[in-house]
């Protein structure tokens, strides 16, 4: 056994492994390997603080995507507006949270004005003026519209049209989802992550459609006669009929939201079950749109689920294929049972140790990387 050669090989493998784990010159961008000269009070876009801040803003955007349509459809009504005019913004905890989210989005805009970026020449730009110009040409408009506190600007106006306008303007916060979608592209290589994101996207779209479905039913109920909309039908089914003299009558918010979400899920995944059905023309038109959206989502989302699951289990499929080849080799050469069992056990042990990786190919790749590092 050539011990010096083995030691040299081991040192070589260790060196290359450390280079890869430390993300060397060919793994990290060149600007991350150099100490950038930045202006005072400027934040590096790849610094730990910026990474934590981006995740915090991501969580706030997810919260906005869920609660803003719900608040605009279910919570903004005449009674809510009167109650808020009496005691201010301390009545509803969600309103306080919305104010905090608005403040965080404004702070995020200020941070983006002081965050470096990489230009087309792979150079870190830290000059405040150039950063501002780059941000103005990019995401500033979307971030600014999403950060405007519309409910504060139109506070105490006290009209039904203003309340509806607040709900519509607050949905402008959903524009920040465009930035989130771009940041989540980095997880597209992970099958489990893509599957989880697809299911979350489906649930989020169903949630938005449920809010629109309730808003249509609420408008139809207050403007049409006789009242045959799905909200009146729900009230009769639950034994909670609406009474015009009592504003608090009818099904609860929980009943209305769960029923609306059930309708959108059943319409997106099938043609519905008929126990929650559209009755007015507006509700029927919206149901047709939901069915069209559901067919498109089947093609774009659920059509990829089988491919993702197949990719997740590709390793298991390769294992069974290789095991079948080993057994065919044993059967062709008529290997006796003791040796046959040892061969199968060896294959199983080698597969569990290497997880099906071709070690010779990896070794050749590492040697080529080492020579590239040493001669560059």
């Amino acid at each position: 056994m050539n011990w010096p050669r083995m030691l040299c090989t081991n040192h070589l493998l260790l060196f290359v492994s450390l280079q890869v784990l430390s993300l060397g010159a060919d793994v990290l961008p060149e600007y991350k390997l150099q100490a950038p000269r930045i202006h005072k009070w400027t934040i590096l876009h790849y610094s730990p603080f910026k990474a934590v801040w981006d995740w915090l803003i991501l969580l706030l955007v997810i919260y906005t995507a869920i609660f803003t349509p719900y608040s605009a459809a279910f919570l903004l009504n005449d009674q809510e507006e009167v109650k808020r005019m009496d005691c201010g913004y301390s009545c509803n905890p969600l309103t306080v949270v919305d104010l905090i989210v608005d403040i965080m989005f404004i702070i995020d805009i200020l941070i983006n004005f002081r965050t470096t970026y990489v230009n087309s020449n792979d150079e870190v730009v830290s000059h405040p003026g150039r950063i501002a110009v780059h941000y103005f040409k990019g995401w500033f408009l979307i971030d600014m519209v999403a950060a405007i506190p519309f409910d504060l600007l139109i506070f105490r106006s006290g009209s039904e049209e203003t309340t509806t306008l607040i709900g519509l303007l607050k949905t402008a916060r959903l524009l920040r989802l465009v930035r989130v979608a771009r940041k989540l592209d980095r997880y597209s290589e992970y099958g489990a992550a893509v599957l989880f994101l697809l299911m979350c996207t489906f649930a989020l779209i169903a949630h938005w459609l449920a809010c629109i479905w309730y808003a249509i039913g609420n408008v139809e109920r207050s403007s049409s006669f006789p009242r045959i909309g799905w909200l009146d039908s729900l009230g009769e089914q639950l034994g909670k009929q609406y009474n015009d003299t009592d504003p608090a009558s009818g099904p609860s918010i929980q009943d209305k939201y769960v029923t609306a979400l059930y309708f959108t899920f059943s319409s997106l995944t099938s043609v519905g079950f008929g126990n929650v059905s559209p009755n007015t023309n507006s509700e029927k038109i919206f149901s047709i749109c939901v069915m069209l959206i559901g067919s498109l989502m089947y093609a774009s989302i659920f059509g990829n689920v089988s491919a993702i699951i197949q990719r997740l289990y590709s390793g298991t499929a390769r294992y069974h294929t290789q095991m079948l080849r080993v057994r065919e080799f044993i059967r062709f050469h008529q290997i006796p049972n003791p040796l046959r069992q040892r061969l199968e056990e060896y294959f199983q042990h080698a597969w569990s140790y290497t997880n099906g990786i071709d070690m010779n190919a990896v070794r050749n790749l590492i040697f080529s990387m080492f020579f590239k590092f040493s001669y560059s």
Side-chain angles (χ1 to χ4, degrees), residues 43-219:
I43 303 172
L44 287 173
H45 63 280
Y46 55 89
S47 62
F49 167 77
K50 191 62 171 59
V52 174
W53 179 260
D54 286 342
W55 276 106
L56 178 60
I57 294 298
L58 174 62
L59 295 177
L60 294 179
V61 171
I62 294 174
Y63 165 83
T64 300
I66 295 174
F67 283 97
T68 296
Y70 175 81
S71 176
F74 288 87
L75 301 183
L76 285 181
N77 48 49
D78 295 338
Q79 291 77 22
E80 184 74 17
E81 184 69 17
V82 171
K83 184 179 179 182
R84 192 171 62 181
M85 290 179 65
D86 293 337
C87 61
Y89 278 78
S90 60
C91 298
N92 190 356
L94 287 179
T95 307
V96 179
V97 175
D98 286 343
L99 293 178
I100 297 175
V101 171
D102 290 336
I103 294 173
M104 296 295 288
F105 283 170
I106 294 174
I107 295 175
D108 181 59
I109 293 177
L110 300 178
I111 290 178
N112 287 329
F113 273 113
R114 305 296 299 182
T115 302
T116 61
Y117 72 95
V118 181
N119 59 14
S120 58
N121 297 326
D122 287 338
E123 298 174 347
V124 177
V125 178
S126 61
H127 191 274
R130 296 175 62 185
I131 293 176
V133 172
H134 179 264
Y135 186 42
F136 274 121
K137 292 180 178 179
W139 297 100
F140 172 75
L141 182 59
I142 292 179
D143 293 346
M144 190 63 192
V145 173
I148 297 176
F150 294 104
D151 42 1
L152 279 181
L153 296 178
I154 323 177
F155 182 53
R156 293 186 182 275
S157 57
S159 63
E160 182 179 355
E161 292 78 9
T162 302
T163 303
T164 305
L165 182 61
I166 291 175
L168 293 176
L169 292 178
K170 287 179 68 175
T171 56
R173 296 177 178 178
L174 302 180
L175 293 173
R176 274 185 170 261
L177 286 175
V178 180
R179 299 191 64 176
V180 174
R182 293 194 60 181
K183 290 183 179 180
L184 293 179
D185 285 342
R186 69 187 67 178
Y187 301 105
S188 59
E189 58 182 292
Y190 305 105
V194 173
L195 183 61
F196 176 75
L197 291 174
L198 289 177
M199 299 307 297
C200 291
T201 302
F202 178 80
L204 185 62
I205 292 176
H207 168 74
W208 291 348
L209 294 175
C211 296
I212 300 175
W213 172 247
Y214 168 75
I216 292 175
N218 194 31
V219 171

Side-chain angles (χ1 to χ4, degrees), residues 324-335 340:
L324 181 62
R325 292 177 180 175
V326 170
R327 288 175 179 172
E328 290 178 351
F329 176 84
I330 293 173
R331 188 182 303 110
F332 179 78
H333 292 281
Q334 298 181 355
I335 298 176
R340 171 182 178 177

Side-chain angles (χ1 to χ4, degrees), residues 24 42 52 122 141 180 240 297 305 307 309 360 366:
T42 303
V52 174
D122 287 338
L141 182 59
V180 174
K240 301 177 181 178
M297 291 180 66
V305 171
I309 294 177
N360 292 326
I366 292 177

